[in-house]
Amino acid sequence: MKRIVIAIEEAPRNRGAFPDLAELPRLLAAAPHRLMFFAGATAVIVSMLWWACVLAAARFGWTHVPAPPVPAGWAHAVLTQYGMLPMFMFGFLLTVFPRWMNQPALPRRAYVPVFAGVFGGYVVSHVGLLGHAGILIAGLSLMLAGWIAAMVALGRVLVRGGVDRHALSCYVALAFGACGLAAFLAFVIGAPWQLAYVAIKLGTFALLLPIYFTVCHRMIPFFSSSVVPGYRVVRPAWSLPALWILALAHLALESMHRYEWLWLVDVPLAAFFAWHWLAWQPWKAMRPGLLAALHLAFAWLPIAFGLFAAQSIVFASGGGFVLGRAPVHALTVGFFGSMLVAMVTRVTQGHSGRPLDMGRIAWLCFGALQVVAVLRIGAELASDHGLWLAIAAFAWIAAFLPWVVRALAIYATPRADGKPG
């Protein structure tokens, strides 16, 4: 009994007692990753809950789900690519930019406006999706203001710190992202629909793909060399320029609807990503779990662009779009989603003073997400397309919910080791 009492008394000190609600804003604002990851974890559920309801309404004839003022699929693409995922990216970049360039950490006045704009606008935009075009415009405008605030804060670090190729690559991608978000906002206001199409493609191939690969290029070899004895670091200087050339070539061909020529870019992209995956020696990095998850998540990249290439070759031979949107969802759900779980879990564990291990909840989420990716890819080939789309969307929520609940609890409590941040 005495041991039990001692354990209960020590638990808050070891794990961090949940703060008073009055203390929660100060605690969340203690570090940019804490604030923005809290927003991103919330958005992981909000984005897909709305989309799952829209898909279910379309499939089952529900009439009580309000129709959005813009095409639902476009809204889904934009608010995941410019809202949900960038919250995690901003949290990471606002934290590591100063470290990459040996500068002091950013003050709260630099990153709190990013949270207020991007997350606040994201929430307002979702209210607007319930049938209110004016509210959607207000939400997207606020998101863009938050985005610009992030670029100002990161730009100052970049100017003071000199040239860092990884930081510069990420910043260029964020500039493309600002253009894409502005283009979609213009479309909602009344500009031609082509701007919405360009915004969606920019989000995938000029924003998310370059930032994800740039961070992987820097961090996966670093994490691997930190824990694997005798690990050979491979980080070629040509990787980032090659990625940008190929990604922008794919973007240009898609924007011109020249799908029959995409294989000329996508075959090299698949080979490019496969080469990096092998060069980073995943067979040496299957322990610990946090490291294994990074390498396993990266494997989706050559798979995704292999599917893009196959789609283009079949289309060029007159076979049509036999894979539908399977390739892009291998990229978005498979790679972006899996790498999100792997990288954010790694950062969350380390920056909350917890052991650097994956843990059962993160592994459950990661494993379930592989199933979700397969479901979403398979939905393109299913006879009851709408049913499997809805199943995949609700499966995403089920996969992420335990991970999100745990993550939110960590961000809303002090560090387990008692350190600031």
Side-chain angles (χ1 to χ4, degrees), residues 133-341:
I135 296 178
L136 178 59
I137 291 170
L140 292 171
S141 300
L142 189 54
M143 284 177 63
L144 183 58
W147 199 288
I148 293 171
M151 294 198 66
V152 169
L154 294 172
R156 287 172 176 167
V157 176
L158 199 59
V159 170
R160 289 195 303 264
V163 177
D164 178 285
R165 58 182 176 174
H166 294 96
L168 182 60
S169 178
C170 290
Y171 196 81
V172 171
L174 290 176
F176 274 113
C179 294
L181 185 55
F184 191 77
L185 173 59
F187 158 71
V188 178
I189 293 173
W193 66 267
Q194 287 86 351
L195 286 179
Y197 179 83
V198 169
I200 293 168
K201 299 306 177 182
L202 280 172
T204 305
F205 299 106
L207 170 64
L208 296 179
L209 180 61
I211 287 183
Y212 264 76
F213 178 78
T214 299
V215 172
C216 288
H217 185 263
R218 182 164 187 139
M219 304 309 298
I220 289 180
F222 170 74
F223 289 147
S224 300
S225 64
S226 298
V227 298
V228 178
Y231 182 84
R232 179 173 55 91
V233 172
V234 178
R235 195 182 285 142
W238 54 263
S239 297
L240 298 184
L243 179 278
W244 271 107
I245 291 169
L246 291 170
L248 292 179
H250 180 107
L251 174 64
L253 288 170
E254 281 225 28
S255 298
M256 294 184 293
H257 307 289
R258 300 312 302 263
Y259 306 112
E260 70 275 18
W261 298 115
L262 278 173
W263 64 272
L264 292 172
V265 176
D266 293 337
V267 169
L269 273 169
F272 173 85
F273 292 128
W275 184 90
H276 281 83
W277 187 66
L278 293 172
W280 290 338
Q281 309 138 70
W283 57 89
K284 294 181 180 178
M286 289 297 103
R287 294 180 187 276
L290 275 175
L291 185 59
L294 293 171
H295 286 272
L296 293 172
F298 194 87
W300 274 106
L301 263 182
I303 293 172
F305 280 92
L307 291 175
F308 273 117
Q311 176 90 297
S312 175
I313 291 170
V314 171
F315 182 79
S317 62
F321 281 95
V322 294
L323 296 179
R325 297 188 58 77
V328 75
H329 284 92
L331 177 63
T332 54
V333 180
F335 174 61
F336 295 156
S338 298
M339 189 58 72
L340 171 70
V341 174

Side-chain angles (χ1 to χ4, degrees), residues 115-132:
F115 167 82
V118 176
F119 184 57
Y122 169 87
V123 172
V124 172
S125 295
H126 274 78
V127 175
L129 291 180
L130 302 179
H132 310 289

Side-chain angles (χ1 to χ4, degrees), residues 358-381:
M358 190 74 166
R360 277 184 259 181
I361 291 177
W363 270 127
L364 176 65
C365 178
F366 187 88
L369 196 57
Q370 311 314 300
V371 177
V372 175
V374 172
L375 284 173
R376 181 58 189 85
I377 293 169
E380 295 296 326
L381 307 176

